[in-house]
Amino acid sequence: MTMSIQNLHSFCKYLISYFFFLNGTMAQMKVGSYLFERIKELGIKTVFGVPGDYELVLLDMILDAGVKWAGNANELIASYAADGYARVNGYGAFVTTFGPGELSAYCGMAGQYAEYVPVVHIVGYPSTKAMKEGAIMHHSLGDGNFRMYHEMVRNITVASTILDDPATATAEIDRVLKAMAYFNRPVYIGVPVDVGPQTIVSRNLETPLPTTLPPNPPELEQSVVDKIVDLLSSRKHPIIVVDGGAVRNGVIEESSELIKLLQIPYFVTGMSKGGISEALGRFGGVYGGGASVPGVKRYVEALDLVLFIGSYKSDFNTGEFTAQISPSVIVDLQRFTTNVLGTDYKLSMKYVLHRLVSVWQSGKNKLAVRGQIEWDPYPLDQVKASEKLTQDFLWAALGRYFKSGDYIIAETGTSAYGILASNLKNIENVHMYNQTVYGSIGFATGAALGSFLAGKESNTIKRGILVTGEGSLQLTVQAFSDMLRYQLNVTVFVLNNAGYTIERLIHGMEASYNTIPEWDYSKICALFGPAFQNKYHRIETPEQLLKLLSDPEFNAANCTQVVELILNRRDAPTSVIRGAEAVEKFNKGIPI
């Protein structure tokens, strides 16, 4: 059949109209814009980082997507800040340049990987042309190889990509971000300088990224939940231990509800301290093997059923592996598996906890026996004041200073150990974090920046409190400039042990390698933010500390406050002394 000129003209008009209709339904945007739209979809409102020439065009697209840019003094601080932000917000992101920039941030990424913190590290790469031709570019190793840094990062991410093909960029972005949400761990996306600004056509944004785990097989889940219910009902002395995995995998709400329903004794660990309320009923204290309060250790290890929610059996979290609970009495709930008395099931703990809560809400099951707490979970509350300030007195006093709505970040070492003894039983909605597993000193200062900024965005923070040692602070002190300029009004407690590091407690009390330079901490804020109001306090005695902590103006925390705590270098929290003894024995191969 021959088509007339008029019909051919009409058909061509139809094809052109249909083409524009299709294009109109698709999102046309730059590769970088698509990436930041996806990041915004995950609830990330602020991106951290350090500008570099390979990423400058990419940084323009952050603001275009309606996301804020929070620049940092260096990339290590940016990675720590993104970590702290993600612990509050759910997800975090930071941007660095290829080579020196990203390498400086890898320590922070390793911590994110070890502690299940979902952060996307975006790296500005040289052009695809330069990489294809093997050009000797700045920030490379001068050998024409541009894949070496990407190869390094594979061990500390769950997914990574370099967007060297615009045609597959959106699919790659989605693949990597889905992996971050699924595994709850960091990812890496490299964006070549000539790919980020390229315009692409995609309808992918119409499909939201999945951020929840797929449901468990119903029959298997019901069967395993029935087993757990039978154990809880039949065992004489069941307890719950909420560990770090519960915090990192977002099951605190379910855990709290189950604790309130069962009304059996429950405990936290060093990794989960402050992650769950201590006012839900029969709170027993912090369990950490040999580093525990003696009454806690004896009670927990003598019981016939321990429901462990998100156990993380690291050295510091278990008192250097001195935890002695038989696997035959443990029900261990993890992100992807549930273990009942030694048998593994591929069941996500979130849905198992949902069903357990539902069972007890129905009122059909009862617990005949509920254990009693016959020891003091907070023994340091009874510590008497002495002439000079001591660690044990300090941590008890800080427990009384903390309030509902506080965000508290404790540094690796003395602070992370000492704060475990602080009494949080009479306050709600406290957010407390430390880096128990990876233990990178300097983490807390950078992470505090990100955590407090996230709390400010969500209007959930009352006061931001950082507790750190002087050795750790000296690694990332530049973060003060960001805390001041973003007006976070942080209260910083600096533990001054006369220029000695925590390692002195493990080995070499007087050794020169355990010393650090002594700083004038009264000048820090003037150096890093002279335009911003700040206050400094030097505390040497218990009397001075109690007076400061009771001062209404200090409690209001309306500006950045630095509190220097003068402590004897031989002094340490009781928990640290126990832990240090265990570490030295472990390092020497001596049975603990």
Side-chain angles (χ1 to χ4, degrees):
M1 181 181 293
T2 304
M3 182 179 290
S4 67
I5 297 296
Q6 184 176 358
N7 288 341
L8 179 61
H9 178 70
S10 298
F11 182 69
C12 289
K13 284 180 66 177
Y14 168 78
L15 285 178
I16 293 170
S17 299
Y18 186 66
F19 171 79
F20 280 111
F21 168 76
L22 286 178
N23 261 354
T25 64
M26 296 182 185
Q28 294 191 34
M29 61 178 59
K30 297 172 182 176
V31 170
S33 298
Y34 181 90
L35 171 58
F36 291 115
E37 285 293 337
R38 280 304 204 194
I39 284 173
K40 183 172 70 173
E41 180 189 319
L42 291 172
I44 298 172
K45 298 178 182 178
T46 298
V47 173
F48 300 91
V50 178
D53 56 345
Y54 291 136
E55 58 177 281
L56 294 177
V57 175
L58 198 60
L59 298 186
D60 290 333
M61 301 177 205
I62 295 177
L63 298 179
D64 292 342
V67 179
K68 297 177 184 176
W69 164 256
N72 307 110
N74 61 53
E75 292 85 358
L76 178 61
I77 288 174
S79 64
Y80 287 158
D83 182 309
Y85 186 93
R87 289 176 188 244
V88 174
N89 182 68
Y91 300 97
F94 71 105
V95 185
T96 71
T97 197
F98 170 81
E102 59 178 305
L103 286 174
S104 296
Y106 282 1
C107 182
M109 291 187 70
Q112 294 156 15
Y113 185 87
E115 304 222 345
Y116 294 87
V117 184
V119 172
V120 53
H121 180 187
I122 301 162
V123 180
Y125 264 69
S127 70
T128 53
K129 182 176 185 294
M131 290 192 288
K132 185 177 181 180
E133 294 177 353
I136 298 178
M137 303 292 293
H138 64 283
H139 294 343
S140 73
L141 297 181
D143 58 1
N145 178 13
F146 294 90
R147 298 280 171 171
M148 61 287 186
Y149 305 133
H150 184 209
E151 290 301 317
M152 292 179 190
V153 85
R154 290 182 188 275
N155 292 310
I156 52 174
T157 59
V158 291
S160 62
T161 188
I162 300 174
L163 305 178
D164 50 13
D165 182 358
T168 61
T170 60
E172 278 295 280
I173 290 169
D174 285 2
R175 176 184 68 82
V176 170
L177 294 181
K178 286 176 184 177
M180 177 179 71
Y182 183 79
F183 292 104
N184 215 50
R185 276 178 155 170
V187 294
Y188 173 104
I189 298 178
V191 186
V193 68
D194 59 331
V195 172
Q198 288 201 35
T199 299
I200 54 173
V201 177
S202 172
R203 297 180 65 181
N204 290 15
L205 286 175
E206 298 174 7
T207 305
L209 292 170
T211 56
T212 58
L213 295 178
N216 292 328
E219 291 184 5
L220 178 60
E221 180 181 273
Q222 184 63 62
S223 172
V224 171
V225 167
D226 287 344
K227 286 183 172 67
I228 298 172
V229 170
D230 288 343
L231 287 168
L232 286 168
S233 301
S234 61
R235 296 292 172 101
K236 291 182 179 180
H237 300 291
I239 64 163
I240 294 174
V241 180
V242 180
D243 207 339
V247 180
R248 297 302 331 124
N249 289 293
V251 294
I252 291 300
E253 184 178 345
E254 295 85 351
S255 302
S256 300
E257 187 61 30
L258 187 62
I259 288 167
K260 287 187 286 187
L261 288 166
L262 294 178
Q263 282 298 297
I264 58 178
Y266 73 103
F267 300 79
V268 296
T269 65
M271 193 175 178
S272 63
K273 173 74 174 181
I276 190 167
S277 171
E278 297 176 7
L280 300 177
R282 293 172 171 81
F283 177 68
V286 180
Y287 175 69
S292 313
V293 171
V296 170
K297 186 178 190 303
R298 285 194 301 269
Y299 184 82
V300 170
E301 295 178 357
L303 297 176
D304 56 3
L305 185 67
V306 179
L307 183 61
F308 240 120
I309 304 177
S311 71
Y312 204 133
K313 299 173 183 177
S314 71
D315 51 359
F316 286 169
N317 209 36
T318 60
E320 207 61 47
F321 308 114
T322 56
Q324 297 178 16
I325 306 175
S326 170
S328 64
V329 302
I330 294 177
V331 174
D332 189 8
L333 305 178
Q334 297 289 347
R335 183 173 181 83
F336 298 115
T337 61
T338 296
N339 184 291
V340 181
L341 311 187
T343 301
D344 264 331
Y345 302 92
K346 291 183 178 180
L347 295 171
S348 166
M349 65 176 169
K350 192 168 188 71
Y351 301 115
V352 170
L353 285 168
H354 278 168
R355 195 176 285 256
L356 281 171
V357 167
S358 179
V359 167
W360 255 274
Q361 283 176 335
S362 70
K364 295 178 181 178
N365 294 83
K366 303 291 182 182
L367 294 182
V369 179
R370 292 183 173 92
Q372 298 299 321
I373 307 302
E374 298 175 351
W375 59 89
D376 185 357
Y378 312 104
L380 293 191
D381 285 358
Q382 313 306 320
V383 172
K384 304 294 183 183
S386 57
E387 183 179 346
K388 295 292 185 180
L389 185 63
T390 65
Q391 291 268 3
D392 283 349
F393 185 88
L394 165 65
W395 298 110
L398 286 180
R400 293 188 290 272
Y401 162 73
F402 296 145
K403 297 179 181 178
S404 297
D406 283 349
Y407 277 51
I408 306 160
I409 312 299
E411 182 55 89
T412 296
T414 305
S415 301
Y417 266 110
I419 210 162
L420 301 183
S422 296
N423 188 338
L424 306 179
K425 194 169 186 177
N426 297 318
I427 52 179
E428 294 282 359
N429 299 318
V430 170
H431 298 263
M432 184 183 290
Y433 304 102
N434 65 65
Q435 199 184 56
T436 309
V437 180
Y438 194 62
S440 177
I441 59 173
F443 163 82
T445 305
L449 165 65
S451 293
F452 301 162
L453 193 56
K456 187 176 181 179
E457 285 179 353
S458 61
N459 197 31
T460 57
I461 185 173
K462 299 297 183 184
R463 301 183 303 184
I465 300 167
L466 166 63
V467 189
T468 182
E470 54 180 339
S472 298
L473 178 60
Q474 291 186 16
L475 268 80
T476 47
V477 69
Q478 302 98 317
F480 267 72
S481 59
D482 297 328
M483 291 178 185
L484 286 158
R485 67 169 169 157
Y486 298 135
Q487 299 183 60
L488 299 179
N489 295 343
V490 181
T491 298
V492 185
F493 292 93
V494 183
L495 279 61
N496 185 338
N497 291 103
Y500 280 77
T501 68
I502 187 176
E503 284 76 14
R504 74 194 184 282
L505 301 170
I506 301 172
H507 180 79
M509 176 61 74
E510 306 294 339
S512 60
Y513 51 73
N514 280 332
T515 63
I516 55 174
E518 294 192 53
W519 286 6
D520 184 348
Y521 295 98
S522 68
K523 302 291 196 304
I524 284 181
C525 290
L527 174 64
F528 289 106
F532 300 96
Q533 183 185 0
N534 67 87
K535 293 180 181 178
Y536 166 80
H537 305 274
R538 179 183 172 94
I539 301 297
E540 299 184 40
T541 68
E543 183 181 2
Q544 290 174 339
L545 178 63
L546 293 178
K547 182 178 179 181
L548 178 66
L549 297 183
S550 63
D551 179 73
E553 188 175 345
F554 178 77
N555 275 265
N558 291 322
C559 68
T560 299
Q561 306 178 115
V562 175
V563 182
E564 184 177 2
L565 302 162
I566 308 303
L567 298 156
N568 188 295
R569 72 172 180 270
R570 291 185 174 274
D571 183 36
T574 300
S575 57
V576 172
I577 294 171
R578 291 198 208 102
E581 290 172 351
V583 169
E584 185 162 28
K585 288 179 181 178
F586 184 81
N587 289 342
K588 291 180 178 179
I590 300 171
I592 301 171

